Amino acid sequence: MLKNKIIKKIKKCLFERPYFGTSDVRIGSNVQFGKNVVFNCKRVRIGDGVIFNNNIIINSDVFEIGDYATIYDYCFFPGPGILNIGHNFWLGTSSIIDAQGKTIIGNNVGIGAHSQLWTHMKFGDVMYGCRFHSSKPLIIEDDVWFVGHCLVSPVKIGTRSIAMLGSVITKDMKADHVYAGIPAIDITQKVGSQFRFSTIDERVSYMQERLRTFADIYKVHNIDDILKIVTNSEQMSSISKNATIFNVADRTYFKKHTKLEYQFMRFLLPDAKFIPIKKETITK
């Protein structure tokens, strides 16, 4: 009864609060909504620290998104269908992500402004014999980056692959490969892959520098007691349970839901990304 009253109250404040077309909604902490954010969905799951800017319409039946996503203005999510997005997602202005054929997006995925991702091809008169009428899944694995103005078909996008500005993706993209052009072709041999994997020492050094900068900005004097950096999972169990612990080896962290943790995670993005070590329950 209380949940229904909350939903009704939200519906009356369309231009000040998000609109949910369902009561099956779960929202994490520190989630921000701009104006005119509309969820025409049957099921909504939103993780912690997600930012929705203005004029966003989501029409997928199921919309699930992990922690610390940022979705910019005028983005559109056509439905129906299932749209499942991981942690640390970034979506640029005026982009479209379709869900009709089912869209699965992994962790740490960035999609530049004015990109369009489609899972269906439907318009022609089927009764009259149109042969182009289909929907297929779109699978995007972790650490993928569409630089901007990209058009993507329902294909499989391999881990850590990247599509350069203005690419038109009509075929699968291999992991650790770089693509560009219309249609996009593999240019990895010319430019190299997206990542030169840093050493553990380099990651520690980077994080220590970011911690010092963060502490200076936010005037935190005991930063080393609150935010801890480790280099393997064994070290995690030996540190105070009150601290948020970041493992640079596999980019995981123990979530403590503190204000400082939220500020630091947002401070790190998009240059450093961490995933909660325990699966969150937003999809249950």
Side-chain angles (χ1 to χ4, degrees), residues 18-22 33 37-41 44 46 52 56 58 63:
Y19 166 82
F20 293 100
T22 178
F33 296 96
V37 179
V38 177
F39 294 85
N40 295 313
C41 307
V44 176
I46 301 171
F52 295 88
I56 296 167
I58 301 171
F63 179 79

Side-chain angles (χ1 to χ4, degrees), residues 128-172:
Y128 197 58
C130 178
R131 297 184 297 109
F132 300 96
H133 184 90
S134 64
S135 62
K136 297 178 181 178
L138 171 59
I139 309 297
I140 302 174
E141 297 181 344
D142 294 348
D143 292 291
V144 168
W145 182 12
F146 298 116
V147 174
H149 287 262
C150 293
L151 300 178
V152 183
S153 302
V155 293
K156 183 177 180 180
I157 311 297
T159 305
R160 297 179 298 274
S161 60
I162 179 172
M164 295 300 192
L165 186 69
S167 297
V168 177
I169 309 301
T170 59
K171 297 181 180 180
D172 292 355

Side-chain angles (χ1 to χ4, degrees), residues 211-248:
L211 273 174
R212 288 193 296 268
T213 303
F214 176 80
D216 290 341
I217 292 173
Y218 286 88
K219 310 300 181 186
V220 183
H221 301 293
N222 59 336
I223 191 73
D224 292 331
D225 296 327
I226 303 170
L227 304 173
K228 294 281 190 179
I229 302 168
V230 300
T231 59
N232 57 65
S233 56
E234 287 74 19
Q235 292 175 331
M236 286 184 152
S237 59
S238 62
I239 294 177
S240 169
K241 294 182 179 180
N242 295 322
T244 301
I245 306 168
F246 297 89
N247 183 356
V248 297

Side-chain angles (χ1 to χ4, degrees), residues 91 152 185:
L91 183 63
V152 183
I185 61 173

Side-chain angles (χ1 to χ4, degrees), residues 162 164 177-181 184-193:
I162 179 172
M164 295 300 192
H177 281 238
V178 179
Y179 296 80
I185 61 173
D186 191 339
I187 62 168
T188 312
Q189 288 188 345
K190 293 182 179 180
V191 301
S193 59

Side-chain angles (χ1 to χ4, degrees), residues 20-90:
F20 293 100
T22 178
S23 60
D24 189 3
V25 178
R26 295 184 187 178
I27 303 175
S29 59
N30 296 304
V31 175
Q32 301 177 39
F33 296 96
K35 294 182 179 180
N36 305 328
V37 179
V38 177
F39 294 85
N40 295 313
C41 307
K42 297 178 181 178
R43 170 188 172 98
V44 176
R45 299 290 185 269
I46 301 171
D48 297 334
V50 179
I51 297 176
F52 295 88
N53 281 273
N54 304 309
N55 302 304
I56 296 167
I57 299 177
I58 301 171
N59 289 340
S60 58
D61 289 334
V62 176
F63 179 79
E64 300 179 344
I65 193 165
D67 299 344
Y68 295 102
T70 301
I71 299 176
Y72 281 87
D73 302 73
Y74 298 102
C75 287
F76 178 46
F77 300 81
I82 295 174
L83 177 55
N84 190 300
I85 303 172
H87 301 291
N88 305 320
F89 180 66
W90 192 97

